[in-house]
Structures are given as C-alpha cells and as structure tokens.
Amino acid sequence: MAVSPYVQAMQELFRANTRSREFPAHGAKVHSVAWSCCGRRLASGSFDKTASVFLLEKDRLVKENNYRGHGDSVDQLCWHPSNPDLFVTASGDKTIRIWDVRTTKCIATVNTKGENINICWSPDGQTIAVGNKDDVVTFIDAKTHRSKAEEQFKFEVNEISWNNDNNMFFLTNGNGCINILSYPELKPIQSINAHPSNCICIKFDPMGKYFATGSADALVSLWDVDELVCVRCFSRLDWPVRTLSFSHDGKMLASASEDHFIDIAEVETGEKLWEVQCESPTFTVAWHPKRPLLAFACDDKDGKYDSSREAGTVKLFGVGAWHRWAKELAHLLLSVSCSWELHKQGHLC
C-alpha cells in the first residue's frame, strides 16, 4: 500500500532525529506530563510529591521551578485550556492544587473526599473535574474553588474527560465501557462496550473528529465523535495501554504501555508511522500543542549509582525537528505530493 505524503514527510523528520533527550525532573518516578496551551512550558508530576515546570528553549527543556506542597504523590496534572500560566495537580493527599507560574505559588488548595488519581480541566476553563480511588468524581468551580457537583459511580472509574464541545463528559471504566454523561446536567446518555477488559485511558483529538481509548487488552480503539462508533483499532502493543496523545494536527496518535517502545500511528489509516524506543515501561505521553514534539516519562532507574533508584526524568522525542517544522514540512509535503500524484496516475511503480 502506498504511503501518504504526510507519513513520508513525518518519517523523514523523525529519521533525522531518532534519539530522545532526557532531562532531570524529579527524585522519583514521573507519573504525568502535560504542555501548556501555548506549548512554551511542560509540567510534570511525580511520586516525589512535587510538580516541575520546564521552559522549552530551542531544542531543550530548561527547568523553571519546582512546586512543593502536596503531602503525597502527584498522580496527574493538567493545564488551563486557554491560560498558559495556570495548571492544576491531583494528589493522593486528598487535595488538588492550582498553581500560577507567574508567582510560582499555589493560588488555591481544594480539599476532596478521597485519594485523587485523575484530573481534567473543562474546555471552557470554568470547571475542574477530579476523580479519586473511591470512584467519586468531583466538579470544582475554577474561579470560586468550590465543589459544584459530585458523582459516586458503581464501577471502577479510570480516566475522565470532557468532549471538545464541553457538552458531554466521558469516563472509562473497569468493565471495558465508555460512560457518557450530559454536561452540565450529568445525566447518563450512553454506555459503550468498548473493550472486553479494563478500559484505561481516553483522549480527544484537537480537531474534534475522533477520540481514542486504550485498554488492558493492549488495543487502542479510535471512535467517531459524532456517531460514537469505533472506526479502527491499533494493535501493535502487547501490554495494557496506559497512555495516549493526539498530535496538534490530529493526524498522529501516540500510545504506550509496558512495551519498551511508544507506537506512533497515522490516525486515518492506523498504519505505523514511527516507533520510539524506550528502555522501560512508559507512564505518560504528551504531544506538543503546535509541533511534532513528544514528551514522555518512563519507569527508568538510575543505573549509574543504584539500579533500584528511580531516575525521575522527562524525555523529548523529535528534538531538532520541531524548530525546523514549518519550513521543512512544507518542502517535504510538496516533494512527496508530486510523487504521490504521479503514483496515482500510474507513472510510478
């Protein structure tokens, strides 16, 4: 099967930048990484009870600040969808904290009822949803920092997310289902039997066309947002899919697990576009919001001095490609598009 111009162009860029770069971030394993909406900063949350924020400068991450205050592991974090200065962390200490990078201080601490394991910020920026180990999801007003609603579920809640239109709320659960609620009413709309085993993670593509789920069956499923039907599956991983991320243009999907590689697929065909090699299981992946630059974190050990000591590093794949992105991609797309057209016309084998 002929490879699309986009895939050829991206493979050329990645082929020239195959190595991932590591940046010290924490004193223990990194659970979560996320880019600010403008892509200038990357935040990471760790088992060491802290969050770190890096500035992206050319081809490297420069540590800006470390954020302390939580009394337990920072399991997940996310940025405000349109304010590049605010991010929120969810911790096992039964709190969430909202941070402002301009002051480097916690601007709000919100107490919750359980040990928090997942968090997301609504697309309109008005609400933060946090889920805990007791399968309770709390909806918090981002301005008043007070609880607006609370839902106790009778199933294991894994990851949570609003759709891009902000009118539906999605949960993946331990029974392999995707549960969809209306928002803000929080009334059940549909429950989709997505996988035969635990449905672990969910991500929406920035174009609003698809969402993807990852499961303990090692499959990634791609779903049509409007029709709520599965359009294709990605099956190159062998272990439960822990984390997913769509590229800024919605054309690539990164997925990772305990496999020692990150699979990068072309969304429209499901074909393998690239494979990022890792030395250990991957906890979290996040594409840059504007460039083909992938941040991720693995269960790495600091083998230099102590093979049991967690390295706590953040990694970047695509470094060296991203700052040449616009110019090179335009040139590559032009050249491969010409070959593509000739191929379709029967002039090339």
Side-chain angles (χ1 to χ4, degrees):
M1 187 176 72
V3 178
S4 73
Y6 181 85
V7 168
Q8 289 185 54
M10 293 312 307
Q11 287 176 338
E12 282 295 316
L13 282 176
F14 293 152
R15 196 170 288 118
N17 302 274
T18 57
R19 294 185 64 184
S20 300
R21 291 194 61 180
E22 294 186 2
F23 303 90
H26 296 275
K29 67 179 71 173
V30 178
H31 285 158
S32 180
V33 294
W35 294 98
S36 62
C37 60
C38 64
R40 187 171 177 233
R41 288 180 171 91
L42 179 76
S44 59
S46 169
F47 186 73
D48 70 3
K49 308 177 186 178
T50 73
S52 291
V53 171
F54 296 83
L55 283 169
L56 179 62
E57 294 185 358
K58 293 186 178 179
D59 60 351
R60 64 196 179 107
L61 291 173
V62 177
K63 197 168 189 178
E64 186 179 48
N65 276 298
N66 191 243
Y67 295 80
R68 300 179 183 276
H70 279 299
D72 203 341
S73 171
V74 177
D75 278 354
Q76 201 170 44
L77 53 76
C78 62
W79 291 83
H80 188 288
S82 56
N83 184 336
D85 298 319
L86 300 180
F87 71 98
V88 63
T89 50
S91 172
D93 66 4
K94 300 184 180 181
T95 70
I96 70 165
R97 287 176 178 254
I98 303 173
W99 310 84
D100 190 326
V101 298
R102 294 166 296 187
T103 63
T104 71
K105 293 180 180 179
C106 174
I107 61 172
T109 300
V110 182
N111 292 307
T112 60
K113 291 184 176 179
E115 297 177 40
N116 302 309
I117 54 174
N118 46 48
I119 197 163
C120 59
W121 210 314
S122 64
D124 64 7
Q126 294 182 14
T127 310
I128 297 166
V130 58
N132 68 29
K133 288 184 177 180
D134 298 320
D135 306 314
V136 175
V137 178
T138 305
F139 296 84
I140 297 163
D141 188 300
K143 289 184 179 179
T144 66
H145 311 136
R146 293 180 179 177
S147 173
K148 299 198 294 186
E150 190 175 274
E151 291 287 322
Q152 170 74 65
F153 294 93
K154 296 180 180 179
F155 49 76
E156 177 188 329
V157 175
N158 289 320
E159 203 156 59
I160 54 178
S161 178
W162 275 272
N163 65 337
N164 295 11
D165 292 334
N166 214 108
N167 61 3
M168 290 191 286
F169 192 76
F170 287 64
L171 310 93
T172 58
N173 78 30
N175 301 321
C177 296
I178 305 164
N179 291 83
I180 307 170
L181 309 179
S182 62
Y183 189 81
E185 301 84 8
L186 298 177
K187 301 298 182 185
I189 294 177
Q190 192 169 345
S191 178
I192 302 171
N193 292 316
H195 294 269
S197 56
N198 197 343
C199 191
I200 298 170
C201 48
I202 183 169
K203 281 293 182 295
F204 282 79
D205 97 80
M207 303 295 108
K209 187 177 181 182
Y210 300 116
F211 66 90
T213 57
S215 171
D217 61 12
L219 292 176
V220 175
S221 298
L222 186 72
W223 300 80
D224 183 287
V225 166
D226 296 323
E227 302 296 329
L228 296 177
V229 294
C230 181
V231 293
R232 66 186 55 90
C233 288
F234 308 79
S235 58
R236 284 179 290 273
L237 297 173
D238 291 323
W239 292 86
V241 183
R242 292 178 172 185
T243 177
L244 300 165
S245 182
F246 282 95
S247 58
H248 71 285
D249 54 9
K251 294 183 177 181
M252 293 185 288
L253 178 62
S255 55
S257 65
E258 291 182 46
D259 291 274
H260 288 193
F261 67 90
I262 300 168
D263 182 73
I264 299 179
E266 183 186 26
V267 170
E268 288 297 340
T269 64
E271 294 298 313
K272 183 171 90 169
L273 194 152
W274 201 258
E275 195 174 271
V276 182
Q277 295 300 313
C278 309
E279 295 180 358
S280 55
T282 302
F283 291 125
T284 176
V285 295
W287 282 109
H288 189 277
K290 296 181 180 179
R291 313 289 185 197
L293 181 64
L294 185 71
F296 62 102
C298 303
D299 188 18
D300 289 339
K301 308 297 180 184
D302 187 358
K304 294 179 186 176
Y305 308 106
D306 183 356
S307 61
S308 66
R309 183 170 176 260
E310 294 164 354
T313 56
V314 169
K315 303 184 182 186
L316 287 184
F317 171 73
V319 173
W322 76 271
H323 59 280
R324 301 195 306 269
W325 159 251
K327 184 178 178 180
E328 287 197 14
L329 184 63
H331 175 74
L332 285 165
L333 281 174
L334 179 63
S335 61
V336 296
S337 291
C338 292
S339 298
W340 180 255
E341 287 302 316
L342 287 170
H343 176 86
K344 288 197 295 183
Q345 294 168 19
H347 297 304
L348 290 176
C349 295

